[in-house]
Amino acid sequence: MITVRDISRDRRDALGEGLYWSAREQAVYWTDILGCRVNRLRLADGLVDSWEMPGTIGWIVEREDASGFVAGLDRRMVALTLNPLTITPLADPDRAGNRMNDATADPAGRIWAGTMALDGARPTGAFYRLDQKGTVTRVDDGYHIANGPAITPDGRTLFHTDSALRTVYRFEIDADGGLGPRETFIDFEEGWGDPDGMTIDADGGLWIACWGAGCVTRFTPEGRCDRSISLPASQVTNCIFAGPELDRMFVTSASHGVDEPQAGALFEVDPGCRGTPTHRYRG
């Protein structure tokens, strides 16, 4: 029996997302997209802090050589500090009517970020790469809900999903950061929910938060469903490994649109394995 811990705090997330493990701070960051907040859990004392943002915020990634973060605010990429709160625009690459949804940094220090229409009903979302020099490139297009990028530790393979189509894609990344052809890696079966945020463990397993199914599910490097961990909230949105040994897993969820006692909670579970390190933006 796997223990699920509901992290104690004074609010629930409307749409928890954007998990990021800060080894530098020994803290878990995440966003509440619709609640327009950045949250932080300090592992040392369990204290949760929260900062209100001036718009929807999909993701947050630490910077390597500068203070603060890069974040996806509304449809823009911005430089962000929290104490004090400062926001500096970096890029506005996306279409009107869209917003940033989820992102990750790769071992080379680039950020890969997906977008979606505000209502999620139209395939106007795209996938972008923010390079170390601040250049933004649209690398893929035509997404309803671009979600959950995850990258293998060698930086050569990227997984991305369109949650609305219930499909996880795989791309090869070349030495210059170019993407190879979009390949279907997993088509979600009935009862699996919709693929949302993702992370990779030390054995190459792909862990996927399953929106609507109330679980996180591990898939083998070959794409076979391996095992699932059930959670007391149906709308599970993202997952990440954290802690000094990367052996603790934290999972976000959403309360928007459902009436469930633990919807919108941040959960901790024991994944029974170790994860891979998160990376910072080198720009």
Side-chain angles (χ1 to χ4, degrees), residues 227-242:
R227 63 189 179 98
S228 290
I229 298 175
S230 296
L231 295 155
S234 63
Q235 295 180 162
V236 179
T237 56
N238 209 330
C239 53
I240 199 166
F241 291 94

Side-chain angles (χ1 to χ4, degrees), residues 17-18 33 99 101-103 113-116 126-127 143-150 158-164 167-169 194-198 209 211 236-238:
E17 253 289 6
I33 297 178
R99 66 165 174 81
N101 196 47
D102 205 355
T115 65
M116 60 177 283
F127 195 37
Y143 288 85
H144 291 78
I145 304 175
N147 227 328
L158 180 147
F159 300 97
H160 199 221
T161 180
D162 191 326
S163 297
T167 302
V168 179
Y169 302 109
D194 301 337
D196 206 311
M198 301 185 286
W211 173 279
V236 179
T237 56
N238 209 330

Side-chain angles (χ1 to χ4, degrees), residues 12-268:
R12 300 293 193 189
D13 296 320
L15 180 54
E17 253 289 6
L19 278 161
Y20 183 85
W21 164 242
S22 169
R24 184 157 59 194
E25 295 187 30
Q26 292 292 294
V28 175
Y29 282 89
W30 77 101
T31 68
D32 181 351
I33 297 178
L34 298 181
C36 304
R37 286 186 174 272
V38 171
N39 305 297
R40 179 185 66 190
L41 167 66
R42 297 194 315 209
L43 296 194
D45 56 13
L47 180 66
V48 176
D49 294 304
S50 183
W51 293 265
E52 188 172 358
M53 297 290 120
T56 60
I57 182 157
W59 49 269
I60 182 169
V61 172
E62 273 184 331
R63 303 182 75 173
E64 179 71 45
D65 299 322
S67 62
F69 306 86
V70 175
L73 183 67
D74 293 326
R75 73 183 194 194
R76 298 171 294 151
M77 298 177 182
V78 302
L80 173 72
T81 65
L82 297 174
N83 292 314
L85 179 64
T86 66
I87 296 170
T88 305
L90 296 177
D92 186 3
D94 207 31
R95 305 175 175 99
N98 281 4
R99 66 165 174 81
M100 293 283 168
N101 196 47
D102 205 355
T104 195
D106 69 14
R110 300 171 292 226
I111 291 177
W112 303 80
T115 65
M116 60 177 283
L118 291 172
D119 60 6
R122 295 165 288 118
T124 59
F127 195 37
Y128 297 92
R129 184 187 65 237
L130 173 64
D131 293 327
Q132 300 92 329
K133 293 183 179 180
T135 303
V136 180
T137 304
R138 184 180 293 168
V139 294
D140 203 16
D141 209 348
Y143 288 85
H144 291 78
I145 304 175
N147 227 328
I151 298 173
T152 54
D154 62 8
R156 296 178 181 176
T157 305
L158 180 147
F159 300 97
H160 199 221
T161 180
D162 191 326
S163 297
L165 300 184
R166 307 178 70 239
T167 302
V168 179
Y169 302 109
R170 178 175 55 196
F171 302 83
E172 297 305 313
I173 305 174
D174 66 28
D176 297 321
L179 288 187
R182 181 199 296 189
E183 302 173 356
T184 296
F185 182 57
I186 304 167
D187 280 321
F188 262 46
E189 297 180 6
E190 289 299 321
W192 286 6
D194 301 337
D196 206 311
M198 301 185 286
T199 191
I200 295 176
D201 67 31
D203 297 315
L206 182 66
W207 290 80
I208 303 178
C210 300
W211 173 279
C215 63
V216 288
T217 299
R218 182 185 189 271
F219 292 83
T220 67
E222 296 74 37
R224 177 177 57 84
C225 182
D226 185 42
R227 63 189 179 98
S228 290
I229 298 175
S230 296
L231 295 155
S234 63
Q235 295 180 162
V236 179
T237 56
N238 209 330
C239 53
I240 199 166
F241 291 94
E245 304 301 321
L246 295 173
D247 57 354
R248 301 170 68 176
M249 177 176 281
F250 291 86
V251 183
T252 49
S253 64
S255 61
H256 180 71
V258 296
D259 183 12
E260 300 168 356
Q262 291 177 273
L266 175 70
F267 299 104
E268 182 180 1

